[in-house]
Amino acid sequence: MKPTLLVLAAGMGSRYGSLKQMDGVGPSGETIIDYSIYDAVNAGFGKVVYVVREYFKEQMETAVKEKYKNVKCIDGTPLEFVFVTQELDKIPAGYTLNPERQKPWGTAHAVLMAKDAIHEPFAVINGDDYYGKESFTLLADWLTAHENQTGNYCIVGFELDNTLSESGGVSRGICYYDENKQLTGIAEHLNISLEKDGKVYGDNSVTGENHLELAGKALCSMNMWGFTPDYFEKSDHIFKSFLDTNIGELKKEYYIPFAVDEIINHQEGKCEVLSTPSHWFGVTYKEDRPAVVAKFKELVEQGIYPTPLH
């Protein structure tokens, strides 16, 4: 059974100001998601599930199915696509949505939208992040090896040095783990940047300590996860507990690290930290776009990707 790639693309346009999911940044108009799918297919994935908003679902679905109509998996079978939607009112029965809330429920809620579409081990990625070939190979191998298991999850950790931005400080969740590479927690750090002395500094949002020197080789989360399908049932239960406390809130969100942390703390599962040598880059704001376009041009010139991809 080939693993599935779950792409979180529902919130990608809010800060960017347009449908970033369909913005061509490659030499032949390829999107960042196109590169992720290309790498995933070559790593052995067999299905792609998009989490989108209802208002652009039809547009996305039409464009994607036309673009990928001739793309095959590595075993020659057609690549399968499924689209699911994340909306504020998609919450369990018995809860009443605050009519003033506009903010989405978060990444863990987005993953839950795919629970009826995925029945095999699956990866989760952001639609606006580039993760690199090695990361998808690493994740596909892990998911295949854990196909018949439950309660075993993983996170792909990127070396902090490989995720910094030249245009300013970034926020990163730094992974903490035991001697067996099992995740014990993720601590959000803000304003991380490489300074003139050649060292990396950031602010720990958990402890409140500011301008801490951080290890450049520390592994951080870029929201690239691997799950066995039993995760859905566990996460759904945690989401209901989250809503018990936060249903009336306007901004509280249900994030993947929170869900995984709850699972670990209740001894219902464990999460292995995988280390990738890949360099991450992504587009958050329109100002980031020229640098991303230049990086994909360079990757094509190095022969890492063809253009067009398919």
Side-chain angles (χ1 to χ4, degrees):
M1 182 181 294
K2 297 186 287 290
T4 286
L5 180 67
L6 177 59
V7 181
L8 304 184
M12 287 174 56
S14 58
R15 289 174 294 181
Y16 195 63
S18 63
L19 278 187
K20 185 167 45 172
Q21 304 90 329
M22 302 179 72
D23 185 23
V25 290
S28 298
E30 298 91 347
T31 66
I32 291 181
I33 297 176
D34 289 336
Y35 287 99
S36 291
I37 292 175
Y38 181 87
D39 288 339
V41 168
N42 284 308
F45 285 78
K47 181 168 71 176
V48 179
V49 178
Y50 279 86
V51 183
V52 296
R53 295 292 301 279
E54 189 64 51
Y55 76 89
F56 62 80
K57 176 177 179 287
E58 183 177 353
Q59 183 184 2
M60 277 281 288
E61 192 166 1
T62 299
V64 166
K65 290 190 174 178
E66 174 62 26
K67 182 185 294 187
Y68 285 92
K69 61 184 178 182
N70 296 319
V71 175
K72 305 289 186 183
C73 300
I74 55 175
D75 63 358
T77 59
L79 180 62
E80 183 182 352
F81 285 91
V82 178
F83 288 79
V84 298
T85 58
Q86 180 187 22
E87 301 295 339
L88 281 176
D89 59 357
K90 289 195 170 185
I91 54 178
Y95 295 93
T96 302
L97 181 69
N98 185 331
E100 296 183 14
R101 184 179 177 103
Q102 297 182 358
K103 197 170 186 63
W105 285 111
T107 53
H109 175 254
V111 173
L112 278 175
M113 299 302 95
K115 65 181 179 180
D116 294 328
I118 298 176
H119 309 284
E120 57 282 325
F122 66 100
V124 176
I125 64 167
N126 291 333
D128 50 0
D129 290 337
Y130 171 80
Y131 294 99
K133 288 177 175 290
E134 301 95 339
S135 303
F136 284 98
T137 299
L138 189 71
L139 197 45
D141 290 346
W142 190 96
L143 291 168
T144 300
H146 293 79
E147 180 180 340
N148 297 313
Q149 299 182 20
T150 60
N152 265 334
Y153 315 132
C154 71
I155 180 172
V156 177
F158 287 72
E159 293 181 1
L160 188 58
D161 280 342
N162 292 342
T163 72
L164 301 179
S165 171
E166 297 176 358
S167 58
V170 296
S171 298
R172 298 285 180 257
I174 295 179
C175 300
Y176 293 88
Y177 45 87
D178 62 22
E179 65 276 7
N180 297 315
K181 278 293 185 80
Q182 296 300 318
L183 186 71
T184 57
I186 297 176
E188 188 74 12
H189 288 67
L190 313 175
N191 305 314
I192 302 173
S193 62
L194 179 66
E195 299 191 7
K196 291 181 180 179
D197 63 1
K199 297 178 181 179
V200 178
Y201 295 90
D203 305 332
N204 188 321
S205 66
V206 178
T207 65
E209 296 174 276
N210 294 329
H211 203 250
L212 294 171
E213 183 179 346
L214 303 173
K217 298 301 181 184
L219 298 181
C220 62
S221 169
M222 301 309 298
N223 216 36
M224 189 180 205
W225 301 83
F227 295 111
T228 46
D230 59 283
Y231 167 82
F232 288 116
E233 183 179 354
K234 294 182 176 71
S235 181
D236 190 50
H237 178 74
I238 297 167
F239 184 48
K240 290 174 183 175
S241 297
F242 172 87
L243 291 177
D244 287 340
T245 305
N246 297 291
I247 187 60
E249 295 286 339
L250 298 180
K251 295 185 177 181
K252 291 286 184 68
E253 294 184 60
Y254 180 46
Y255 293 116
I256 297 172
F258 174 82
V260 172
D261 192 54
E262 287 289 294
I263 292 171
I264 292 171
N265 287 338
H266 289 88
Q267 287 81 48
E268 294 182 350
K270 56 186 179 179
C271 183
E272 184 177 352
V273 180
L274 310 179
S275 176
T276 177
S278 294
H279 285 248
W280 168 96
F281 58 86
V283 177
T284 300
Y285 303 99
K286 283 189 175 182
E287 291 75 16
D288 300 325
R289 190 178 186 278
V292 170
V293 170
K295 286 177 181 176
F296 279 123
K297 182 174 183 293
E298 182 181 347
L299 289 171
V300 169
E301 289 173 348
Q302 292 173 351
I304 295 173
Y305 293 106
T307 188
L309 278 174
H310 304 291

